[in-house]
Amino acid sequence: MKKSIGDNMIPKGWSFERGLELVKKSGWDGIELWLGDVPWFQMETTDAQVTELRRKVENAGLVVSNVSTGLHWETPLSSRDPAVRAKAIKIVEREIETAQLLGCDAILVVAGLVTQEVPYNEVYQRCVDAMKQLAPTAAKAKVKIGCENCCSEQRFLITPREFWTFLNDVDSPWVGIHLDVGNIHDTGFAEQWIEMHGPRITRIHLKDVMKKRGRCCDTVYTSLFIGDNNWPAIRAAIKKVNYDGWLIAEMEARYKYAQDQQFPDTASDIDRLIAGTL
Amino acid sequence: MKISRREFVSTAGYATASFCTLPSFAFAANDSAALAAPDCTLLDLESNCMLPESLAGMRAALGATHRRVTDLALNGADSVVVVPAAGTVRAETFGATAELVRRGATVLWESGAAFLGPRDFEYQQDLVRRHFGISMEQPIDVWLHSASRRASVGAKNESARRARAIGHAQVPYVAYHCPREVRIRDFSRMIPVSAENGRAIGHWGEIPVAWRKSIDAGTLIFVGSPIGPALRAGDSDAASLLRSLIAA
């Protein structure tokens, strides 16, 4: 397994090049590029500029692990407005195009957002439709679409069996799950998700979660090994399903001070997870 | 067990509809209203259908009992016509529809005009009044009427990902009273409707949003809150309402 970290973790005000230097120096193998979340990688970024990003990554001794985006939180594939849905599809298509340009074979998509206004069944149907529409593009590009389990934040596909049914309904080997072990919160156990989805896992996001231990009994994200995830069980499940892909740090809880320190700290945590020295 | 040809066609239509992803409660095949559904014509307004999923929902719900056309012909063969999510519709189409009703047809007109821009809406408002005798008021953005919704939108703008599920008193249903009592989810925007004759058959709160009226020998059912998306989402109440409306 190799380890990667998102470019959206690069401290604010730092250049991409300076961030890459930090990522490499901290011992990471790759970098996850977040379309729309960082100034250097936007929907308007041209193909030539994307190719230039790849050159910079490779010059730093890294590779791009995958392309992700948070744009679908504002522009969901499940919107009732067909114009918004069309825009959301374009975002996925651009992710696929840029993944090809960047030399990687997986993207992350937040598929659908259940709200009080837009109910679950509508969201489900539209997301299946969208994935069915996008699957041939993904197949042609040989880039897998990983739908992220955002569970309670999306209020959608909250259990592993729901997610399994969803992927069955999409019915494409090019659409799988980008599994985030921190997003499962109070509704289950990451190791069970890993075991259930095995070969359909496109990438794994790592973060820890403190279940109902925040203020007002909230569940909050935290750094690896501090929270309630059962890391030995997660590691065992990863081994059991023979997942040998990227482990990507998505640290939503960031260091307030000495932000660059989070890079080597998290890298060495993941090294121990991979080595099994927990 | 005996089964009539119509029952067979209707049931088979459900079985063959491309709804592999719908939950199991969708379109129960033993729905008595569904089994009474007549053959009907579905007018596909193509680019002027504002909500393609409404068209898809209607098509799937009607199953094998419908034929799809892109233009209405005044040959008298269309006894039941369904028009999903009508957006910018030409005066000629309004004229043909009104004439069909006068000759005895039942027309279910689902308006998608709430999703038009202000100028197009006004134009449709005028055509609906002239040809159908139905008054459409300005569309209501249902969810913006809720104070807590505003709070939710604010939170979403701040950070969609961190927006919390905010509980509020918004009731997301249109209540239909006729021909059967069902509640169907709103689709975010709806048009209050009224007319000099006929009666309101569906309300959002106190506001009438669906109207049924006779015009000479036929019946016009004008729906100001789309029901097609609920059909697409697998709401069996919406399916039974659709079939009741066109069968009644």
Side-chain angles (χ1 to χ4, degrees), chain B residues 171-178 180-186 190 200-205 207-210 225 241:
Chain B
V171 176
Y173 297 112
V174 172
Y176 287 86
H177 326 289
C178 176
R180 57 192 310 166
E181 289 201 6
V182 288
R183 287 175 179 269
I184 309 296
R185 261 196 178 267
D186 71 65
M190 58 182 72
I201 58 167
H203 288 81
W204 180 64
I207 300 169
V209 294
S225 176
L241 175 68

Side-chain angles (χ1 to χ4, degrees), chain A residues 73-74 80 82 85 116-117 119 121-122 124-126 128-129 148 150 153 155 169 183 218 250 252, chain B residues 21-23 25 50 53 143 149 156 160-168 185-188 232-233:
Chain A
W73 291 102
E74 293 289 353
R80 282 179 162 177
R85 289 205 298 278
Q116 287 188 320
E117 180 177 2
N121 280 346
E122 281 185 26
Y124 192 94
Q125 190 64 51
R126 289 191 196 112
V128 170
D129 290 347
E148 190 181 20
C150 296
E153 287 163 327
R155 306 164 202 108
D169 287 341
N183 279 351
D218 279 350
E250 193 198 25
E252 300 211 21
Chain B
T21 59
L22 284 178
F25 61 79
M50 295 304 291
E53 67 189 320
W143 287 82
R149 166 67 179 159
K156 200 187 278 182
R161 187 156 198 187
R162 287 172 178 77
R164 306 297 302 264
I166 299 169
H168 57 63
R185 261 196 178 267
D186 71 65
F187 197 71
S188 301
R232 182 82 175 122

Side-chain angles (χ1 to χ4, degrees), chain A residues 237-278:
Chain A
I238 288 171
K239 289 282 173 194
K240 178 179 162 63
V241 302
N242 294 316
Y243 179 81
D244 193 31
W246 286 95
L247 299 177
I248 304 157
E250 193 198 25
M251 313 307 296
E252 300 211 21
R254 303 194 183 180
Y255 287 10
K256 253 185 176 172
Y257 308 103
Q259 289 190 338
D260 55 326
Q261 187 60 41
Q262 195 163 13
F263 285 72
D265 288 356
T266 308
S268 60
D269 287 346
I270 297 179
D271 282 339
R272 291 193 64 164
L273 177 69
I274 292 171
T277 52
L278 295 172

Side-chain angles (χ1 to χ4, degrees), chain A residues 110-184:
Chain A
V110 173
L113 200 55
V114 173
T115 64
Q116 287 188 320
E117 180 177 2
V118 187
Y120 195 109
N121 280 346
E122 281 185 26
V123 171
Y124 192 94
Q125 190 64 51
R126 289 191 196 112
C127 289
V128 170
D129 290 347
M131 288 303 134
K132 278 182 176 288
Q133 181 185 338
L134 288 160
T137 308
K140 199 172 166 196
K142 295 191 171 19
V143 172
K144 286 195 175 185
I145 298 172
C147 300
E148 190 181 20
N149 59 311
C150 296
C151 303
S152 53
E153 287 163 327
Q154 274 175 303
R155 306 164 202 108
F156 183 50
L157 305 178
I158 293 161
T159 71
R161 274 191 72 94
E162 279 172 89
F163 217 113
W164 177 257
T165 305
F166 172 74
L167 294 178
N168 286 347
D169 287 341
V170 173
D171 193 23
S172 166
W174 295 96
V175 180
I177 178 171
H178 183 120
L179 186 64
D180 188 315
V181 301
N183 279 351
I184 294 152

Side-chain angles (χ1 to χ4, degrees), chain B residues 37-235:
Chain B
D39 295 348
C40 79
T41 301
L42 188 77
L43 178 59
D44 179 355
L45 293 167
E46 299 180 304
S47 61
N48 289 319
C49 170
M50 295 304 291
L51 305 167
E53 67 189 320
S54 198
L55 174 69
M58 298 275 192
R59 290 193 69 180
L62 294 169
T65 64
H66 80 278
R67 69 186 185 95
R68 175 177 156 269
V69 298
T70 54
D71 220 343
L72 283 180
L74 292 173
N75 56 13
D78 299 315
S79 60
V80 177
V81 179
V82 175
V83 186
T88 307
V89 182
R90 292 177 300 133
E92 293 77 19
T93 306
F94 274 104
T97 307
E99 182 57 28
L100 275 175
V101 177
R102 278 193 289 274
R103 292 182 188 186
T106 296
V107 172
L108 170 59
W109 185 279
E110 181 193 58
S111 180
F115 298 88
L116 293 171
R119 283 186 65 176
D120 287 337
F121 178 82
E122 274 174 33
Y123 181 58
Q124 294 298 307
Q125 198 176 27
D126 181 52
L127 289 172
V128 166
R129 187 180 45 75
R130 280 198 280 135
H131 291 279
F132 296 163
I134 298 264
S135 298
M136 298 198 299
E137 289 177 32
Q138 286 298 314
I140 299 172
D141 199 335
V142 174
W143 287 82
L144 286 178
H145 268 59
S146 157
S148 48
R149 166 67 179 159
R150 281 196 290 275
S152 174
V153 167
K156 200 187 278 182
N157 290 341
E158 187 183 314
S159 168
R161 187 156 198 187
R162 287 172 178 77
R164 306 297 302 264
I166 299 169
H168 57 63
Q170 180 80 4
V171 176
Y173 297 112
V174 172
Y176 287 86
H177 326 289
C178 176
R180 57 192 310 166
E181 289 201 6
V182 288
R183 287 175 179 269
I184 309 296
R185 261 196 178 267
D186 71 65
F187 197 71
S188 301
R189 285 184 214 165
M190 58 182 72
I191 300 169
V193 293
S194 59
E196 283 182 7
N197 57 4
R199 58 179 289 206
I201 58 167
H203 288 81
W204 180 64
E206 301 295 314
I207 300 169
V209 294
W211 202 272
R212 180 192 166 103
K213 65 180 286 190
S214 299
I215 303 176
D216 294 342
T219 303
L220 174 70
I221 301 148
F222 192 94
V223 179
S225 176
I227 59 174
L231 292 165
R232 182 82 175 122
D235 182 347

